[in-house]
Amino acid sequence: MSQTFQNIKGTFDILPDPYTDDGGTRIAPSAEWRYVEGTIRDVMERYNFDEIRTPILEPTELVARGVGEATDIVQKEMFAFERSDTQYVLRPEITAPVVRSYLQHHLDQRGGVQKLFYIGPCFRAEQPQKGRYRQFHQFGVEVLGTSDARADAETVAVMMAIYDELGIEDMRLRMNTLGTPDRRDEYVQALRDYLEPYTEELSETSVRRLERNPLRVLDSKLDHEQEILQDAPQLIDYVSDESRAHYDRVQQLLSDLGVAYVEDPYLVRGLDYYTETTFELESPDLGAQSALAGGGRYDRLAEVLGSDEPVPAIGFAAGMERLFLALDAAEVERPGLPEPDVFIAALGEEAEQWVFRTTQDLRSSGLHVALDLKGRSLKAQMREANRQNADYTLIIGGNELEAEEATVKEMEGGEQEDIPFAELSTYLLDKCRPDRA
RNA sequence: GUGGGCGUAGCUCAGUCGGUUAGAGCGCCAGGUUGUGGUCCUGGAGGCCGUGGGUUCAAAUCCCACCGCUCACCCCA
């Protein structure tokens, strides 16, 4: 290999053409990213979400609080650094930044409920492995300023709509409620009491979790632990009547919308500011990395971030890389490179000059026009036109300049006709872009 | 941090009981009469065989070290 630079480990370049990275993952071409992002934006717009863009750089403290001091993310998996006594972090997720922005700019004063969506890169410092990058890309929404069950339902609905719109069908939506922190404490106590006698049989991980983050024990993937958990107390039996009613309402709304889901009492989140509804979307096609998106209510986060007033809120976050895996698995058709309407081939210096100028004119009129920039032979220019899949190729040489007519070749069939220079743009627009003609 | 795998052309990969000038397919470039693409034919460019050291008459091939990449474990917003 040569001595040039390499991209940072765990990052990847998005190129005009698709390729396979060293880990064997297909990296989608830029046109596909554009298409997918465009579709996400379209659906978001239809659901009346407004875009928010926050900096990639945030104060470390914001993320530490927003994600939870005790979590591994904050402990060791963030890109954090110091400069002139300020602690910076490359954001590992976008919920805390959005809430920060909401509070900072008093977005509640825009009136009504704030329905925001975002899409952009995030960072983790963890060891990269297959499909898990240090720079990855997320999209999601945050609905701030209401605890109404309809906000929960709309959040789930817009998430589902995006995957539907993109043509991903094999999905499973799991839902649960966490209730409120006070009731959860009671539940955690009950869970601890229940698991106490089994301590010997639990894995190291689970014992550690039982200490630090007891709800996550429910996440265990070990069969024998799942057996133990079979008869464990259920969170749902501990939540308040209000929480229960909220959850029922959310479920009813989703059913009304025709959104299918399964209840999963073991779907949990560890931190206190997560409340009430929680959900996760997974695709069985993806094996181990099946989670496409997840979210839930975080009615206490704003206060954790310093707000005097609580800001009830719910959102979801989803990974772009995962989404592409799902699109690949589902063999969903995506657009390729944009192809030129017209390639203009020039023969000789005089023609080159005319072509260069005319190219600009045709572009101004709305056509996608390509030309040779290397002074190559006509044959090479034709080859190039073919490679780029141009619909038409114009051939301009001495004869054409003399007659003031372009030789216009329709590439698929190969027929040629002469079109007077004066009529060129009308002719081509009519053929290639009837909507703009 | 721990364990495994892999580094040969732009890409995918052959080639290792050590032995002429290191190969294929694809891609790229150029020709196959004057100014015409795709298919076909011909030719060409492009490699410090990851780096450094060692063994040997001789190393892509054997040995050692290093570097890089990668997968898995841990963890997962």
Side-chain angles (χ1 to χ4, degrees):
Chain A
M1 291 295 139
S2 51
Q3 301 298 315
T4 55
F5 291 102
Q6 302 264 111
N7 62 299
I8 296 285
K9 190 201 324 203
T11 67
F12 56 91
D13 295 321
I14 297 167
L15 305 176
D17 293 319
Y19 69 101
T20 303
D21 74 6
D22 291 334
T25 302
R26 186 188 111 107
I27 306 297
S30 48
E32 277 183 31
W33 282 77
R34 224 182 303 133
Y35 163 74
V36 171
E37 289 165 353
T39 304
I40 291 168
R41 290 199 160 85
D42 281 352
V43 176
M44 293 294 193
E45 199 170 300
R46 250 185 281 157
Y47 278 75
N48 198 35
F49 282 80
D50 296 323
E51 183 173 7
I52 183 167
R53 302 192 189 195
T54 60
I56 285 167
L57 225 43
E58 289 284 355
T60 302
E61 184 60 19
L62 169 73
V63 172
R65 289 207 219 164
V67 178
E69 302 274 4
T71 59
D72 271 16
I73 302 164
V74 169
Q75 295 289 308
K76 54 178 187 184
E77 292 167 3
M78 295 194 306
F79 277 106
F81 56 96
E82 180 185 310
R83 254 189 106 85
S84 318
D85 288 337
T86 304
Q87 307 289 333
Y88 300 89
V89 66
L90 296 178
R91 65 184 183 193
E93 54 99 45
I94 308 188
T95 298
V98 169
V99 174
R100 188 221 85 225
S101 184
Y102 175 93
L103 296 172
Q104 177 180 341
H105 299 288
H106 307 285
L107 294 186
D108 59 314
Q109 296 301 309
R110 295 177 76 213
V113 171
Q114 297 308 307
K115 293 171 59 178
L116 304 170
F117 80 90
Y118 60 80
I119 176 165
C122 297
F123 303 82
R124 58 159 82 88
E126 188 184 358
Q127 276 312 309
Q129 49 188 281
K130 192 176 178 60
R132 305 182 61 186
Y133 297 94
R134 285 182 157 176
Q135 175 173 345
F136 57 104
H137 301 79
Q138 290 208 327
F139 66 95
V141 309
E142 313 296 348
V143 181
L144 300 136
T146 177
S147 51
D148 195 295
R150 281 172 295 185
D152 302 44
E154 267 211 338
T155 298
V156 173
V158 71
M159 176 181 82
M160 299 304 288
I162 286 167
Y163 291 90
D164 276 347
E165 183 79 16
L166 286 167
I168 295 171
E169 281 161 359
D170 239 358
M171 293 183 295
R172 193 167 66 136
L173 175 63
R174 295 185 297 138
M175 302 214 46
N176 193 23
T177 183
L178 301 173
T180 48
D182 50 324
R183 295 303 183 95
R184 212 178 315 155
D185 290 345
E186 290 175 30
Y187 169 72
V188 165
Q189 195 47 54
L191 183 63
R192 282 209 167 104
D193 292 345
Y194 171 81
L195 289 174
E196 188 78 81
Y198 298 101
T199 312
E200 291 298 308
E201 297 169 50
L202 294 178
S203 66
E204 232 177 275
T205 314
S206 289
V207 173
R208 184 157 27 89
R209 282 178 174 170
L210 197 53
E211 289 301 313
R212 284 190 11 200
N213 207 339
L215 287 184
R216 303 254 354 223
V217 175
L218 300 175
D219 256 356
S220 171
K221 270 127 197 140
L222 302 172
D223 286 343
H224 77 275
E225 294 194 343
Q226 279 300 326
E227 267 173 51
I228 295 171
L229 290 169
Q230 283 292 306
D231 298 316
Q234 300 269 305
L235 182 53
I236 189 74
D237 297 322
Y238 282 76
V239 305
S240 68
D241 292 345
E242 291 76 22
S243 292
R244 179 79 235 188
H246 177 85
Y247 187 41
D248 287 345
R249 180 83 178 124
V250 172
Q251 293 186 58
Q252 185 204 324
L253 288 165
L254 287 176
S255 297
D256 281 353
L257 294 178
V259 174
Y261 62 89
V262 294
E263 285 190 73
D264 179 355
Y266 295 152
L267 181 63
V268 294
R269 326 218 129 196
L271 302 171
D272 271 358
Y273 51 77
Y274 288 114
T275 55
E276 311 292 352
T277 313
T278 179
F279 56 89
E280 199 166 299
L281 183 66
E282 50 183 26
S283 161
D285 297 342
L286 299 186
Q289 307 190 337
S290 61
L292 289 172
R297 269 206 170 274
Y298 49 94
D299 289 344
R300 315 297 283 275
L301 177 57
E303 290 154 286
V304 171
L305 298 184
S307 173
D308 295 333
E309 299 293 319
V311 179
I314 182 165
F316 81 83
M320 291 288 290
E321 287 78 8
R322 238 15 114 62
L323 171 52
F324 276 108
L325 284 182
L327 291 169
D328 292 342
E331 295 180 345
V332 171
E333 288 276 336
R334 280 150 284 172
L337 277 180
E339 293 166 353
D341 300 315
V342 186
F343 188 100
I344 313 188
L347 273 152
E349 246 174 71
E350 205 185 335
E352 275 176 12
Q353 221 170 69
W354 185 91
V355 162
F356 197 66
R357 184 168 11 91
T358 305
T359 297
Q360 306 308 314
D361 294 344
L362 292 177
R363 286 169 176 165
S364 302
S365 70
L367 289 159
H368 176 161
V369 187
L371 80 165
D372 167 68
L373 295 174
K374 284 172 81 170
R376 303 208 287 176
S377 69
L378 178 62
K379 186 188 178 82
Q381 294 185 63
M382 293 301 294
R383 204 164 34 229
E384 182 67 13
N386 185 65
R387 203 176 56 74
Q388 293 196 33
N389 232 323
D391 292 334
Y392 292 85
T393 298
L394 266 49
I395 299 167
I396 308 295
N399 302 341
E400 284 77 8
L401 290 180
E402 181 110 359
E404 300 201 343
E405 285 183 346
T407 300
V408 179
K409 179 165 189 168
E410 197 280 307
M411 294 297 276
E412 186 145 337
E415 313 88 48
Q416 294 189 177
E417 55 183 317
D418 297 330
I419 304 295
F421 287 168
E423 295 165 27
L424 258 186
S425 98
T426 317
Y427 176 87
L428 290 169
L429 275 171
D430 187 55
K431 293 280 194 190
C432 305
R433 308 265 162 155
D435 49 312
R436 303 185 82 135

